[in-house]
Amino acid sequence: MIIDGLKLTLLGMAVVFSFLGLLVVIVHLSARLLKSFTEKEATAYEFHTRRKARELTPSEDKRKIMAVISASVSAHRAGRK
Amino acid sequence: MIIDGLKLTLLGMAVVFSFLGLLVVIVHLSARLLKSFTEKEATAYEFHTRRKARELTPSEDKRKIMAVISASVSAHRAGRK
Amino acid sequence: MIIDGLKLTLLGMAVVFSFLGLLVVIVHLSARLLKSFTEKEATAYEFHTRRKARELTPSEDKRKIMAVISASVSAHRAGRK
Amino acid sequence: MKSTFIFFGLIVVLLHLTCISSIAGEEAAGAGIKSIPSMTKMVGNFSKSTGLLNFIFPSNNKWTDGIGRLIMIGIGILLLYLAVHRQFEPLLLVPIGFGAIMTNIPLAGMSDPGGMLYYIYDIGIKTGVFPLVIFMGIGAMTDFGPMLANPKTALLGAAAQFGIFTTLIGALLLSKYVPGINFDLFDAASIGIIGGADGPTAIFLASRLSPHLLGSIAVAAYSYMALVPIIQPPIMKLCTTPDERKIRMKQMRYVGKLEKIIFPLSVLGLCVFLLPSAAPLIGFFMFGNLMRECGVVERLSNTAQNALLNIVTVFLGLGVGAQMSAEQFLNISTLGILFLGAIAFSIGTASGVLMARIMNLFPGSKINPLIGSAGVSAVPMAARVSQKLGMDADPENYLLMHAMGPNVAGVIGSAVAAGVLLTLKDIAG
Amino acid sequence: MKSTFIFFGLIVVLLHLTCISSIAGEEAAGAGIKSIPSMTKMVGNFSKSTGLLNFIFPSNNKWTDGIGRLIMIGIGILLLYLAVHRQFEPLLLVPIGFGAIMTNIPLAGMSDPGGMLYYIYDIGIKTGVFPLVIFMGIGAMTDFGPMLANPKTALLGAAAQFGIFTTLIGALLLSKYVPGINFDLFDAASIGIIGGADGPTAIFLASRLSPHLLGSIAVAAYSYMALVPIIQPPIMKLCTTPDERKIRMKQMRYVGKLEKIIFPLSVLGLCVFLLPSAAPLIGFFMFGNLMRECGVVERLSNTAQNALLNIVTVFLGLGVGAQMSAEQFLNISTLGILFLGAIAFSIGTASGVLMARIMNLFPGSKINPLIGSAGVSAVPMAARVSQKLGMDADPENYLLMHAMGPNVAGVIGSAVAAGVLLTLKDIAG
Amino acid sequence: MKSTFIFFGLIVVLLHLTCISSIAGEEAAGAGIKSIPSMTKMVGNFSKSTGLLNFIFPSNNKWTDGIGRLIMIGIGILLLYLAVHRQFEPLLLVPIGFGAIMTNIPLAGMSDPGGMLYYIYDIGIKTGVFPLVIFMGIGAMTDFGPMLANPKTALLGAAAQFGIFTTLIGALLLSKYVPGINFDLFDAASIGIIGGADGPTAIFLASRLSPHLLGSIAVAAYSYMALVPIIQPPIMKLCTTPDERKIRMKQMRYVGKLEKIIFPLSVLGLCVFLLPSAAPLIGFFMFGNLMRECGVVERLSNTAQNALLNIVTVFLGLGVGAQMSAEQFLNISTLGILFLGAIAFSIGTASGVLMARIMNLFPGSKINPLIGSAGVSAVPMAARVSQKLGMDADPENYLLMHAMGPNVAGVIGSAVAAGVLLTLKDIAG
Ligand code: NA
Ligand code: NA
Ligand code: NA
């Protein structure tokens, strides 16, 4: 029985490594084949994320609005004096 | 067999037309019977959609606020001079 | 049969009352045992709800802003005169 | 509209023409087994397979297969009307009503072996799977907090189960004195459980003890649960004094998370030691509740109370409706069941209220007896009735949360009662 | 990448070494039944259980179990390609394509008794349960408003079913004149229903009458439904004059809630009295629609059109794909079915359009014949085609909502036609 | 509280009174079969049907049916405690623990034919349906991006499967040298798969090869998966040098959509040609992943990872827990399984780490060996452990995404290993 276990181990690990090893090869090949598609996508993706990042920091607008309000407040104070 | 197919066609199309034809009649009848309900609903529905449409354009309020702010800004500028 | 029904009623109600009666006892006991946990939780919960309640009424902030804006508006009007 | 009629006319004419013209072709088609007979015969055969003819001339000459089906379809439509227009427990009565219609369509055989409704009943209801899954979902929706805050109100939920057993006796009495009604002890127990005011429990027990009464019992249970706002108030007023109705109950204490986690396990523990026969019902109910309270399997709890509960509710309803065949429903027994169901709810309500009054005789904080009626379960309808009557007596008396205690205890109480009734097979020699 | 190859090499070497070294151990392992044979034999046995060898040397020497499976896997991949890249009905064709691949994996036996795909087919498709549940979900998604607003357009949905029956005749003709094709009347009926352009109806009917054709019929039905934007326009243009295509239709009236609630019950009523054999299909379709429109069971309606519909769609697709074994699919009959399916869609389209033209001969408000083609169902693709061609003729002509009337009527029409075909067993002596 | 005790006392008194008073009525009830015996006998019969008595005096005098059940209920509660308080894989261990309690309730017979747990096990687990559906859901949740970006890390996921096979040998050794433990080759294979650290794979394989060990194997698998943050770190530190732990890995490249769509089909293709016996597991895993990545069936993918996954998880857990009967669980074998499971995880972890070190001997970009341990799967726990230890060594070393590569590869590796073990029946003999 123990010898059976050893045989199974050999067979099993061989199959597991063959399977995942071949998978590595296939993934490499498909990555190479699809390189042009992926690169196009990657560029579009980066462009998109950069743009989004910019949209998420509308600090300039906010700062302007705050400036206007604080200005109007100080104007009001100035008026009081 | 082919003649069977023809017979089936006749029977089938007759049943399909009878079914949908009767359905047309029933729908007409039920529409007529439920006319008062439907009309009441239709009026309420129109009223509701109109009102909603109005709510979705609160431009007046916005315009007022913008006017106030721009006024205060110009007041501030005027004060500076 | 009727007498069977009466017997079942007695047995059934006895079991129902025993079950829920014992449950009452167990609930009492577990409440007593877990008192310290519950009290800690209750304090945290109350603190949390109070804080939330406070956050949900930012009336002070709003009032301040409104005061500023109305002030700036009146300043603007004052300036016009 | 005109064109419609004209078309319809044309088709009828066309059909008749073919009938006549095809008599000649009669022999040509008679060869194979799968061939079609002559046009006249075909139309004849086909018209035999319309529902219209089968209502009038049912194939086996039983009235329950003819006009009886038509009556049952009418009852199905009535249930739909009550569900849609009156909002009588629509989540259950819409599928039940539709199921009742579909099962009574002549020749369609939707409840015969191989039919869709047969599969639903066979897989989900006969096995008891659907009621238990629903119970799990209800468990995941139930907050036992109000009961844990004021545990003694659970006894109200015990007292209200008295309706179950008196109805059982009532069923046996009817069976003895009314000719045409022959309920055995199992039937009586299934009918009694209507008084539990809890759908899945009633369906589970009836599917175990008296499957042939399942349709009428489920319909009675859900109908009376929907009628709780009409049935309970007069009984509640009769059993209480105006002063009692004004009793205010002190605000509930905070209930800890750990208490809520321990609770379903305590109930299950009691069930294990005291009444294993109730284990399926109480087990799945408490499993659902544990998923809700334990806080680490929120996604399972959400699915159990939403997608899964809804899916099973649709099929449970259809499967229950499918049991409403004319043969099983259109008899004096069903009338008896409906009559007994009303009794069951009334006695359950009264028992709950009176129990509260008895408990007030003992020292301790007083209970407003109006929350006693919530012990029949019918969650959350019965608790809302308590709330409403409480506010009628004193507009600032909020009883809702206090009534939720006996309300959810009533669900456990009914499950326990069902467990006792399930031991009937063992008790009876 | 280099290291990968080196490792892979190492393993191969290792394996070979063991084979050689273990010849000595052969006797030691031969004792028990559950022991493993010698390393060489083990590797031999194992390699027999690889797919590669079985494609070349199938166990029973049938080509359909060898290279045939490989071809079917290719067809599965083709379906996936069409679904993913061309967006041909992806919700169905992705599971169907994957199911077709999985069922054709040699030795895996996923469609043999005990395999996952076997269970899916056996429980969900052979019983007719899955198509009916899907029909319920589609019912819950369907708004019959446009048809109720202009009911006479329902007749267009009737006319388009002509494609079903002419295809039935076509199948019988093929069967008579093409050697190698032998469709009986049931097969012909199942093939005809492709013209109904409605997936669940086609699967339900085929599972009842010709289970061995289920795979090809389902694939044909869904493929042609996806091809509607290519098949229909030339036929529609051929059957209409430019002036007709410019006909504008008046704006639709408001349809009341009560009308929408009454409608599913009316359809079911007609089905009960006229055609009980269509009751499963029409019953579940209308049950779904009633849940949608009645307004009191929103949570059931939502689940029926989302979680439940999605779950069943996945399994229905896998189960249909599982019927695409090489033996059943790779024959001349499948080609015949694909050919007939195209005919079915074309004739259905033409019938719908011509019916609209006939209806315009009668007095009353005119119909734009472009909406006639929507009568084949293929909801909502066919209606969008009508819209597109309408705008081609007159950029301000919005036909979409008008086309939805015959579109949804076509679903009912197909179910009715299926009901007629289901009575074949009774009609045929 | 006082009133409670008083009521309770009253009931006990009432019950006793009735017992005495009803002796006279003994004969009256003896008539029919369905009648109830005398009150004393009834109470006697009833008390025999309480759980308390059955724990002490089990009906068949086997200790596993008496006190054994009580111990198993305790183990169920322990699992619930670990799941809820320690958050050990709560999504699985809450249902498993509750299932273990329910299956061990005496007399309830919930796992006997006709019981709810029996149906769950019979329909979902014995058939292998539930693990496959879960695998589909996990596939729909898995992003293979990190593995596609750095494919050679997949070899780490291969190496970590070494734990499976050494444990298999360990089980055979135990079986030989420890009296009372008798595992055959199938049992050893099922125990070995614990080292795959993947629940559905373990349950699927055990349900195929050794259903009687299913409960203990599933419990061991999920428990050790939850213990990964405790088991792995010391082994990882032992097998690496501080310098190795500081290796930084370069940022991953962008992985295209098309690559992600092709990937599941590639894996399936390999499975078809190389190892069809793994087709059910790998097929459904990759079907789920294809639904995720193809982008056209989002609603199916969402349902597969949410509603459907949750529903099946609940029932899978209950069904697995239902296999934990005292008779099957309370023996030396279970202890052996728990011991072997710990070995399996440890060896798998070490193998993965050492494989990374071996790979670093070859030219090419270096791998931080800490990500090797993630090859055991236990997604995503093991990857998080790699991340944590990486940051311990160098606070700016982010390994999480790099560890996800071997992590998901480990799932495929375990499924492949399971496929090899499933061919045992063919290899042997
Ligand atoms: Na109750
Ligand atoms: Na159609
Ligand atoms: Na693994």
Side-chain angles (χ1 to χ4, degrees), chain B residues 16, chain E residues 161 164-165 189 193 201-202 204-205 209 275 277-278 281 411-424:
Chain B
V16 170
Chain E
Q161 308 315 317
I164 292 177
F165 294 100
I193 205 71
T201 301
F204 185 78
L205 191 77
L209 298 184
L275 193 67
S277 57
L281 283 167
V411 180
I412 298 175
S414 306
V416 170
V420 173
L421 296 174
L422 279 168
T423 61
L424 263 182

PDB file of all heavy atoms in Angstrom, chain B residues 16, chain E residues 161 164-165 189 193 201-202 204-205 209 275 277-278 281 411-424:
ATOM      1  N   VAL B  16     -54.702  29.594 -33.724  1.00  0.00           N
ATOM      2  CA  VAL B  16     -53.912  30.772 -33.355  1.00  0.00           C
ATOM      3  C   VAL B  16     -54.715  32.049 -33.612  1.00  0.00           C
ATOM      4  O   VAL B  16     -54.806  32.936 -32.752  1.00  0.00           O
ATOM      5  CB  VAL B  16     -52.578  30.798 -34.127  1.00  0.00           C
ATOM      6  CG1 VAL B  16     -51.877  32.134 -33.946  1.00  0.00           C
ATOM      7  CG2 VAL B  16     -51.665  29.673 -33.670  1.00  0.00           C
TER       8      VAL B  16
ATOM      9  N   GLN E 161     -47.096  33.305 -37.016  1.00  0.00           N
ATOM     10  CA  GLN E 161     -46.924  31.892 -36.652  1.00  0.00           C
ATOM     11  C   GLN E 161     -47.058  30.984 -37.869  1.00  0.00           C
ATOM     12  O   GLN E 161     -46.823  29.771 -37.769  1.00  0.00           O
ATOM     13  CB  GLN E 161     -47.933  31.487 -35.575  1.00  0.00           C
ATOM     14  CG  GLN E 161     -47.967  32.387 -34.360  1.00  0.00           C
ATOM     15  CD  GLN E 161     -46.605  32.752 -33.830  1.00  0.00           C
ATOM     16  OE1 GLN E 161     -45.726  31.902 -33.747  1.00  0.00           O
ATOM     17  NE2 GLN E 161     -46.390  34.026 -33.529  1.00  0.00           N
ATOM     18  N   ILE E 164     -44.234  28.742 -38.511  1.00  0.00           N
ATOM     19  CA  ILE E 164     -44.133  27.478 -37.770  1.00  0.00           C
ATOM     20  C   ILE E 164     -44.682  26.329 -38.612  1.00  0.00           C
ATOM     21  O   ILE E 164     -44.039  25.290 -38.779  1.00  0.00           O
ATOM     22  CB  ILE E 164     -44.918  27.568 -36.443  1.00  0.00           C
ATOM     23  CG1 ILE E 164     -44.247  28.552 -35.480  1.00  0.00           C
ATOM     24  CG2 ILE E 164     -45.062  26.204 -35.802  1.00  0.00           C
ATOM     25  CD1 ILE E 164     -45.001  28.760 -34.172  1.00  0.00           C
ATOM     26  N   PHE E 165     -45.866  26.571 -39.153  1.00  0.00           N
ATOM     27  CA  PHE E 165     -46.555  25.447 -39.800  1.00  0.00           C
ATOM     28  C   PHE E 165     -45.999  25.146 -41.188  1.00  0.00           C
ATOM     29  O   PHE E 165     -45.924  23.988 -41.581  1.00  0.00           O
ATOM     30  CB  PHE E 165     -48.062  25.719 -39.820  1.00  0.00           C
ATOM     31  CG  PHE E 165     -48.642  25.742 -38.446  1.00  0.00           C
ATOM     32  CD1 PHE E 165     -48.898  26.939 -37.800  1.00  0.00           C
ATOM     33  CD2 PHE E 165     -48.878  24.568 -37.765  1.00  0.00           C
ATOM     34  CE1 PHE E 165     -49.408  26.962 -36.518  1.00  0.00           C
ATOM     35  CE2 PHE E 165     -49.385  24.583 -36.471  1.00  0.00           C
ATOM     36  CZ  PHE E 165     -49.653  25.781 -35.849  1.00  0.00           C
ATOM     37  N   ALA E 189     -42.990  18.821 -36.011  1.00  0.00           N
ATOM     38  CA  ALA E 189     -43.625  19.837 -35.182  1.00  0.00           C
ATOM     39  C   ALA E 189     -42.572  20.567 -34.342  1.00  0.00           C
ATOM     40  O   ALA E 189     -42.595  21.796 -34.224  1.00  0.00           O
ATOM     41  CB  ALA E 189     -44.664  19.195 -34.262  1.00  0.00           C
ATOM     42  N   ILE E 193     -41.474  24.700 -34.591  1.00  0.00           N
ATOM     43  CA  ILE E 193     -41.582  25.687 -33.508  1.00  0.00           C
ATOM     44  C   ILE E 193     -40.374  26.628 -33.480  1.00  0.00           C
ATOM     45  O   ILE E 193     -40.434  27.690 -32.835  1.00  0.00           O
ATOM     46  CB  ILE E 193     -41.803  24.978 -32.154  1.00  0.00           C
ATOM     47  CG1 ILE E 193     -42.511  25.916 -31.157  1.00  0.00           C
ATOM     48  CG2 ILE E 193     -40.485  24.521 -31.550  1.00  0.00           C
ATOM     49  CD1 ILE E 193     -43.937  26.179 -31.496  1.00  0.00           C
ATOM     50  N   THR E 201     -40.319  28.225 -25.357  1.00  0.00           N
ATOM     51  CA  THR E 201     -41.380  27.468 -26.015  1.00  0.00           C
ATOM     52  C   THR E 201     -40.784  26.351 -26.860  1.00  0.00           C
ATOM     53  O   THR E 201     -41.255  25.212 -26.835  1.00  0.00           O
ATOM     54  CB  THR E 201     -42.222  28.410 -26.905  1.00  0.00           C
ATOM     55  OG1 THR E 201     -42.767  29.432 -26.081  1.00  0.00           O
ATOM     56  CG2 THR E 201     -43.334  27.673 -27.595  1.00  0.00           C
ATOM     57  N   ALA E 202     -39.730  26.681 -27.618  1.00  0.00           N
ATOM     58  CA  ALA E 202     -39.106  25.676 -28.468  1.00  0.00           C
ATOM     59  C   ALA E 202     -38.534  24.544 -27.628  1.00  0.00           C
ATOM     60  O   ALA E 202     -38.725  23.354 -27.951  1.00  0.00           O
ATOM     61  CB  ALA E 202     -38.007  26.325 -29.310  1.00  0.00           C
ATOM     62  N   PHE E 204     -39.365  23.652 -24.572  1.00  0.00           N
ATOM     63  CA  PHE E 204     -40.435  22.899 -23.912  1.00  0.00           C
ATOM     64  C   PHE E 204     -41.078  21.903 -24.881  1.00  0.00           C
ATOM     65  O   PHE E 204     -41.229  20.723 -24.568  1.00  0.00           O
ATOM     66  CB  PHE E 204     -41.505  23.864 -23.390  1.00  0.00           C
ATOM     67  CG  PHE E 204     -42.594  23.213 -22.594  1.00  0.00           C
ATOM     68  CD1 PHE E 204     -42.374  22.848 -21.280  1.00  0.00           C
ATOM     69  CD2 PHE E 204     -43.831  22.948 -23.147  1.00  0.00           C
ATOM     70  CE1 PHE E 204     -43.371  22.242 -20.529  1.00  0.00           C
ATOM     71  CE2 PHE E 204     -44.837  22.335 -22.408  1.00  0.00           C
ATOM     72  CZ  PHE E 204     -44.608  21.987 -21.099  1.00  0.00           C
ATOM     73  N   LEU E 205     -41.410  22.385 -26.072  1.00  0.00           N
ATOM     74  CA  LEU E 205     -42.066  21.504 -27.042  1.00  0.00           C
ATOM     75  C   LEU E 205     -41.135  20.382 -27.476  1.00  0.00           C
ATOM     76  O   LEU E 205     -41.528  19.211 -27.533  1.00  0.00           O
ATOM     77  CB  LEU E 205     -42.537  22.300 -28.262  1.00  0.00           C
ATOM     78  CG  LEU E 205     -43.457  21.505 -29.184  1.00  0.00           C
ATOM     79  CD1 LEU E 205     -44.845  21.414 -28.591  1.00  0.00           C
ATOM     80  CD2 LEU E 205     -43.500  22.095 -30.568  1.00  0.00           C
ATOM     81  N   LEU E 209     -41.811  16.422 -27.380  1.00  0.00           N
ATOM     82  CA  LEU E 209     -42.089  15.631 -28.588  1.00  0.00           C
ATOM     83  C   LEU E 209     -40.860  14.942 -29.164  1.00  0.00           C
ATOM     84  O   LEU E 209     -40.944  13.809 -29.631  1.00  0.00           O
ATOM     85  CB  LEU E 209     -42.732  16.527 -29.670  1.00  0.00           C
ATOM     86  CG  LEU E 209     -44.082  17.167 -29.338  1.00  0.00           C
ATOM     87  CD1 LEU E 209     -44.609  17.931 -30.549  1.00  0.00           C
ATOM     88  CD2 LEU E 209     -45.110  16.120 -28.919  1.00  0.00           C
ATOM     89  N   LEU E 275     -57.839  25.939 -25.293  1.00  0.00           N
ATOM     90  CA  LEU E 275     -56.658  25.148 -25.617  1.00  0.00           C
ATOM     91  C   LEU E 275     -55.909  24.748 -24.338  1.00  0.00           C
ATOM     92  O   LEU E 275     -54.809  25.233 -24.079  1.00  0.00           O
ATOM     93  CB  LEU E 275     -55.746  26.001 -26.518  1.00  0.00           C
ATOM     94  CG  LEU E 275     -54.616  25.266 -27.224  1.00  0.00           C
ATOM     95  CD1 LEU E 275     -55.164  24.299 -28.243  1.00  0.00           C
ATOM     96  CD2 LEU E 275     -53.681  26.254 -27.865  1.00  0.00           C
ATOM     97  N   SER E 277     -54.137  22.399 -23.629  1.00  0.00           N
ATOM     98  CA  SER E 277     -52.803  21.810 -23.799  1.00  0.00           C
ATOM     99  C   SER E 277     -51.706  22.870 -23.733  1.00  0.00           C
ATOM    100  O   SER E 277     -50.553  22.557 -23.488  1.00  0.00           O
ATOM    101  CB  SER E 277     -52.725  21.067 -25.121  1.00  0.00           C
ATOM    102  OG  SER E 277     -53.035  21.949 -26.178  1.00  0.00           O
ATOM    103  N   ALA E 278     -52.074  24.134 -23.973  1.00  0.00           N
ATOM    104  CA  ALA E 278     -51.085  25.205 -23.871  1.00  0.00           C
ATOM    105  C   ALA E 278     -50.992  25.756 -22.452  1.00  0.00           C
ATOM    106  O   ALA E 278     -50.251  26.708 -22.197  1.00  0.00           O
ATOM    107  CB  ALA E 278     -51.429  26.326 -24.849  1.00  0.00           C
ATOM    108  N   LEU E 281     -47.422  26.418 -20.604  1.00  0.00           N
ATOM    109  CA  LEU E 281     -46.692  27.567 -21.133  1.00  0.00           C
ATOM    110  C   LEU E 281     -47.416  28.871 -20.823  1.00  0.00           C
ATOM    111  O   LEU E 281     -46.846  29.796 -20.237  1.00  0.00           O
ATOM    112  CB  LEU E 281     -46.514  27.423 -22.651  1.00  0.00           C
ATOM    113  CG  LEU E 281     -45.429  26.447 -23.106  1.00  0.00           C
ATOM    114  CD1 LEU E 281     -45.559  26.163 -24.583  1.00  0.00           C
ATOM    115  CD2 LEU E 281     -44.050  27.030 -22.815  1.00  0.00           C
ATOM    116  N   VAL E 411     -45.323  36.053 -28.804  1.00  0.00           N
ATOM    117  CA  VAL E 411     -44.967  35.065 -27.778  1.00  0.00           C
ATOM    118  C   VAL E 411     -46.192  34.228 -27.424  1.00  0.00           C
ATOM    119  O   VAL E 411     -46.132  32.995 -27.350  1.00  0.00           O
ATOM    120  CB  VAL E 411     -44.401  35.757 -26.522  1.00  0.00           C
ATOM    121  CG1 VAL E 411     -44.041  34.730 -25.471  1.00  0.00           C
ATOM    122  CG2 VAL E 411     -43.182  36.587 -26.875  1.00  0.00           C
ATOM    123  N   ILE E 412     -47.328  34.931 -27.243  1.00  0.00           N
ATOM    124  CA  ILE E 412     -48.566  34.192 -26.965  1.00  0.00           C
ATOM    125  C   ILE E 412     -48.920  33.301 -28.150  1.00  0.00           C
ATOM    126  O   ILE E 412     -49.287  32.135 -27.986  1.00  0.00           O
ATOM    127  CB  ILE E 412     -49.719  35.178 -26.658  1.00  0.00           C
ATOM    128  CG1 ILE E 412     -49.385  35.991 -25.413  1.00  0.00           C
ATOM    129  CG2 ILE E 412     -51.023  34.434 -26.469  1.00  0.00           C
ATOM    130  CD1 ILE E 412     -50.412  37.064 -25.101  1.00  0.00           C
ATOM    131  N   GLY E 413     -48.771  33.877 -29.356  1.00  0.00           N
ATOM    132  CA  GLY E 413     -49.083  33.106 -30.564  1.00  0.00           C
ATOM    133  C   GLY E 413     -48.260  31.831 -30.644  1.00  0.00           C
ATOM    134  O   GLY E 413     -48.794  30.750 -30.950  1.00  0.00           O
ATOM    135  N   SER E 414     -46.977  31.920 -30.369  1.00  0.00           N
ATOM    136  CA  SER E 414     -46.123  30.730 -30.420  1.00  0.00           C
ATOM    137  C   SER E 414     -46.542  29.710 -29.374  1.00  0.00           C
ATOM    138  O   SER E 414     -46.538  28.501 -29.639  1.00  0.00           O
ATOM    139  CB  SER E 414     -44.665  31.101 -30.154  1.00  0.00           C
ATOM    140  OG  SER E 414     -44.256  32.114 -31.018  1.00  0.00           O
ATOM    141  N   ALA E 415     -46.894  30.210 -28.180  1.00  0.00           N
ATOM    142  CA  ALA E 415     -47.315  29.282 -27.128  1.00  0.00           C
ATOM    143  C   ALA E 415     -48.600  28.580 -27.540  1.00  0.00           C
ATOM    144  O   ALA E 415     -48.781  27.386 -27.282  1.00  0.00           O
ATOM    145  CB  ALA E 415     -47.496  30.030 -25.805  1.00  0.00           C
ATOM    146  N   VAL E 416     -49.499  29.328 -28.210  1.00  0.00           N
ATOM    147  CA  VAL E 416     -50.740  28.717 -28.686  1.00  0.00           C
ATOM    148  C   VAL E 416     -50.428  27.657 -29.741  1.00  0.00           C
ATOM    149  O   VAL E 416     -50.955  26.534 -29.702  1.00  0.00           O
ATOM    150  CB  VAL E 416     -51.695  29.790 -29.244  1.00  0.00           C
ATOM    151  CG1 VAL E 416     -52.871  29.161 -29.966  1.00  0.00           C
ATOM    152  CG2 VAL E 416     -52.175  30.693 -28.124  1.00  0.00           C
ATOM    153  N   ALA E 417     -49.552  28.010 -30.673  1.00  0.00           N
ATOM    154  CA  ALA E 417     -49.170  27.045 -31.704  1.00  0.00           C
ATOM    155  C   ALA E 417     -48.548  25.810 -31.051  1.00  0.00           C
ATOM    156  O   ALA E 417     -48.847  24.672 -31.445  1.00  0.00           O
ATOM    157  CB  ALA E 417     -48.179  27.691 -32.672  1.00  0.00           C
ATOM    158  N   ALA E 418     -47.717  26.024 -30.048  1.00  0.00           N
ATOM    159  CA  ALA E 418     -47.128  24.881 -29.340  1.00  0.00           C
ATOM    160  C   ALA E 418     -48.208  24.040 -28.693  1.00  0.00           C
ATOM    161  O   ALA E 418     -48.139  22.805 -28.703  1.00  0.00           O
ATOM    162  CB  ALA E 418     -46.142  25.380 -28.278  1.00  0.00           C
ATOM    163  N   GLY E 419     -49.228  24.724 -28.159  1.00  0.00           N
ATOM    164  CA  GLY E 419     -50.334  23.987 -27.563  1.00  0.00           C
ATOM    165  C   GLY E 419     -51.028  23.101 -28.583  1.00  0.00           C
ATOM    166  O   GLY E 419     -51.345  21.945 -28.307  1.00  0.00           O
ATOM    167  N   VAL E 420     -51.248  23.648 -29.786  1.00  0.00           N
ATOM    168  CA  VAL E 420     -51.875  22.842 -30.845  1.00  0.00           C
ATOM    169  C   VAL E 420     -51.000  21.637 -31.164  1.00  0.00           C
ATOM    170  O   VAL E 420     -51.484  20.498 -31.278  1.00  0.00           O
ATOM    171  CB  VAL E 420     -52.099  23.693 -32.112  1.00  0.00           C
ATOM    172  CG1 VAL E 420     -52.597  22.820 -33.252  1.00  0.00           C
ATOM    173  CG2 VAL E 420     -53.075  24.812 -31.830  1.00  0.00           C
ATOM    174  N   LEU E 421     -49.699  21.868 -31.275  1.00  0.00           N
ATOM    175  CA  LEU E 421     -48.797  20.774 -31.628  1.00  0.00           C
ATOM    176  C   LEU E 421     -48.718  19.742 -30.501  1.00  0.00           C
ATOM    177  O   LEU E 421     -48.509  18.557 -30.754  1.00  0.00           O
ATOM    178  CB  LEU E 421     -47.403  21.325 -31.947  1.00  0.00           C
ATOM    179  CG  LEU E 421     -47.361  22.256 -33.178  1.00  0.00           C
ATOM    180  CD1 LEU E 421     -45.991  22.882 -33.344  1.00  0.00           C
ATOM    181  CD2 LEU E 421     -47.763  21.517 -34.438  1.00  0.00           C
ATOM    182  N   LEU E 422     -48.912  20.203 -29.263  1.00  0.00           N
ATOM    183  CA  LEU E 422     -48.887  19.251 -28.149  1.00  0.00           C
ATOM    184  C   LEU E 422     -50.106  18.332 -28.145  1.00  0.00           C
ATOM    185  O   LEU E 422     -50.087  17.258 -27.544  1.00  0.00           O
ATOM    186  CB  LEU E 422     -48.823  20.002 -26.817  1.00  0.00           C
ATOM    187  CG  LEU E 422     -47.442  20.507 -26.388  1.00  0.00           C
ATOM    188  CD1 LEU E 422     -47.569  21.456 -25.221  1.00  0.00           C
ATOM    189  CD2 LEU E 422     -46.540  19.354 -26.006  1.00  0.00           C
ATOM    190  N   THR E 423     -51.184  18.773 -28.803  1.00  0.00           N
ATOM    191  CA  THR E 423     -52.381  17.911 -28.868  1.00  0.00           C
ATOM    192  C   THR E 423     -52.229  16.824 -29.917  1.00  0.00           C
ATOM    193  O   THR E 423     -53.103  15.975 -30.055  1.00  0.00           O
ATOM    194  CB  THR E 423     -53.649  18.721 -29.203  1.00  0.00           C
ATOM    195  OG1 THR E 423     -53.471  19.317 -30.481  1.00  0.00           O
ATOM    196  CG2 THR E 423     -53.930  19.790 -28.180  1.00  0.00           C
ATOM    197  N   LEU E 424     -51.101  16.870 -30.676  1.00  0.00           N
ATOM    198  CA  LEU E 424     -50.877  15.883 -31.738  1.00  0.00           C
ATOM    199  C   LEU E 424     -51.118  14.461 -31.240  1.00  0.00           C
ATOM    200  O   LEU E 424     -51.728  13.646 -31.933  1.00  0.00           O
ATOM    201  CB  LEU E 424     -49.433  15.981 -32.248  1.00  0.00           C
ATOM    202  CG  LEU E 424     -49.213  16.818 -33.508  1.00  0.00           C
ATOM    203  CD1 LEU E 424     -47.770  16.773 -33.917  1.00  0.00           C
ATOM    204  CD2 LEU E 424     -50.110  16.309 -34.630  1.00  0.00           C
TER     205      LEU E 424
END
